Amino acid sequence: MSKQALKIEDTFGSSSFSGLMSTSYPLKGVYDFGEGDKCPLGFMELLGVTDYSPSLFEIEQLQTSRVPFSAPNPTVSKLESSEVLNQPATPNSSSISSASSEAVNDEPVKVEEQEEDQHKTKKELKPKKTNQNRQREPRFAFMTKSEVDHLEDGYRWRKYGQKAVKNSPFPRSYYRCTSVSCNVKKRVERSFTDPSIVMTTYEGQHTHPSTVLSRASFVEAPTPTTTGFAMPMQRTLPQYQQHQQHFVYNSSPSNFGYSGPSNAALLHGSRFCTPGSAMLKDHGLLQDIVPSHMLNEE
DNA sequence: CGATTTTGACCCGCGC
DNA sequence: GCGCGGGTCAAAATCG
């Protein structure tokens, strides 16, 4: 992992990465892996990736020079939180991502135990799902411009719920990783401000390698099959290749900096970060993860 | 027939 | 205490 981390830093630290990114894809973003020193996890790790594949990073290239979120919809860029943006450049799709990773301030939690606990309490009595417990799960979210809600990310998910979102005509879907001992969850909702944008929030860490990636054809970017990560891979699905934009953001502003100057530089240089930005009212999940500057920005 | 989705009910935390 | 909203459960329906 250090390898990848280095790569990221490198990328961010030097503008050279923009060269990497080839691209004409409007990308930009920032990685936020939580508190640098306290949080040992990178966002990849949050997703259960221990062996990052270069392809991923190739996908997530950042262009700070560009306007934050060249998303078609300004509203999107209005979401709150000062975080990082990151944009996976995908071959056929332009992506803008804002990622948010929450967490993990404390020591790594034993997911399995937690899960068991939850199940037990739930079944037997009343689950004490305290906020504290929940919030410990690392979270990572990103926005994707896509027509499909459920993006292929390399893992198999089972939908376990759907809820209407306040102030939004679009429902939020809840998915859980189908892997037995994996308690990773993800929420998917479409931005009410821009229906073409899908917001995905991952929670927890995968305790297993990606299932899809291992058999997917990495035509565009070879990826280790051991533990794939899982940004939505348009490359595996033709329909996704049409156009997607990813916004990766970190939902916890306090967790800036995955570590390394690059991040700082990013944030610093990022004009999107408006510390004093006003709070949003209630944008549902969006509020949680979207940088405030986005919201303010029109 | 097993896996997944749908969907209403339920639980919980939070603000008033 | 009550209502609201978010998140989850679980039975039924659907799919492959």
Side-chain angles (χ1 to χ4, degrees), chain A residues 264-286:
Chain A
L266 269 179
L267 293 174
H268 196 54
S270 171
R271 48 184 180 248
F272 330 136
C273 294
T274 53
S277 42
M279 309 293 95
L280 340 179
K281 299 214 169 148
D282 188 346
H283 295 288
L285 181 57
L286 298 183

Side-chain angles (χ1 to χ4, degrees), chain A residues 103-171:
Chain A
V104 199
N105 294 332
D106 298 323
E107 75 263 45
V109 210
K110 292 188 180 178
V111 269
E112 292 184 16
E113 278 184 30
Q114 265 194 346
E115 190 178 10
E116 281 180 25
D117 222 9
Q118 272 192 0
H119 277 260
K120 263 191 195 170
T121 47
K122 248 180 198 176
K123 283 185 183 177
E124 297 178 5
L125 282 179
K126 16 169 109 172
K128 263 185 189 179
K129 340 173 146 179
T130 60
N131 229 349
Q132 305 155 341
N133 265 345
R134 279 194 201 167
Q135 295 194 342
R136 290 207 170 198
E137 295 288 334
R139 274 209 267 168
F140 166 77
F142 59 88
M143 296 185 273
T144 302
K145 183 170 175 63
S146 172
E147 298 182 12
V148 290
D149 289 343
H150 197 184
L151 305 175
E152 178 57 61
D153 59 9
Y155 291 90
R156 290 179 62 78
W157 302 91
R158 176 176 309 177
K159 188 175 186 176
Y160 67 88
Q162 179 173 305
K163 281 287 265 187
V165 180
K166 191 186 170 191
N167 293 332
S168 173
F170 307 103

Side-chain angles (χ1 to χ4, degrees), chain A residues 73 75-76 146-149 159 161-174 187-199 283-286:
Chain A
N73 191 346
T75 45
V76 173
S146 172
E147 298 182 12
V148 290
D149 289 343
K159 188 175 186 176
Q162 179 173 305
K163 281 287 265 187
V165 180
K166 191 186 170 191
N167 293 332
S168 173
F170 307 103
R172 176 182 303 156
S173 298
Y174 298 88
R187 288 174 289 187
V188 177
E189 80 177 85
R190 200 165 276 281
S191 169
F192 68 98
T193 56
D194 186 349
S196 64
I197 292 181
V198 175
M199 304 208 45
H283 295 288
L285 181 57
L286 298 183

Side-chain angles (χ1 to χ4, degrees), chain A residues 139-284:
Chain A
R139 274 209 267 168
F140 166 77
F142 59 88
M143 296 185 273
T144 302
K145 183 170 175 63
S146 172
E147 298 182 12
V148 290
D149 289 343
H150 197 184
L151 305 175
E152 178 57 61
D153 59 9
Y155 291 90
R156 290 179 62 78
W157 302 91
R158 176 176 309 177
K159 188 175 186 176
Y160 67 88
Q162 179 173 305
K163 281 287 265 187
V165 180
K166 191 186 170 191
N167 293 332
S168 173
F170 307 103
R172 176 182 303 156
S173 298
Y174 298 88
Y175 298 88
R176 181 172 293 157
C177 184
T178 57
S179 192
V180 205
S181 57
C182 183
N183 73 334
V184 177
K185 294 176 215 168
K186 82 171 177 182
R187 288 174 289 187
V188 177
E189 80 177 85
R190 200 165 276 281
S191 169
F192 68 98
T193 56
D194 186 349
S196 64
I197 292 181
V198 175
M199 304 208 45
T200 305
T201 303
Y202 288 89
E203 190 171 323
Q205 290 180 261
H206 286 287
T207 59
H208 59 96
S210 160
T211 56
V212 174
L213 284 184
S214 60
R215 51 181 187 171
S217 54
F218 304 100
V219 181
E220 310 190 21
T223 306
T225 57
T226 49
T227 52
F229 151 36
M231 278 293 267
M233 313 246 174
Q234 303 85 336
R235 61 175 185 254
T236 58
L237 300 181
Q239 65 261 39
Y240 295 156
Q241 298 188 335
Q242 295 181 342
H243 34 30
Q244 288 189 34
Q245 294 188 328
H246 301 284
F247 303 75
V248 182
Y249 54 82
N250 185 317
S251 59
S252 63
S254 58
N255 284 342
F256 273 139
Y258 51 90
S259 87
S262 47
N263 188 36
L266 269 179
L267 293 174
H268 196 54
S270 171
R271 48 184 180 248
F272 330 136
C273 294
T274 53
S277 42
M279 309 293 95
L280 340 179
K281 299 214 169 148
D282 188 346
H283 295 288

Side-chain angles (χ1 to χ4, degrees), chain A residues 2-12 20 54 57-58:
Chain A
S2 49
K3 239 199 225 166
Q4 302 301 343
L6 283 176
K7 184 167 186 176
I8 294 179
E9 287 191 2
D10 207 58
T11 302
F12 284 173
L20 281 178
F57 292 99
E58 287 174 357

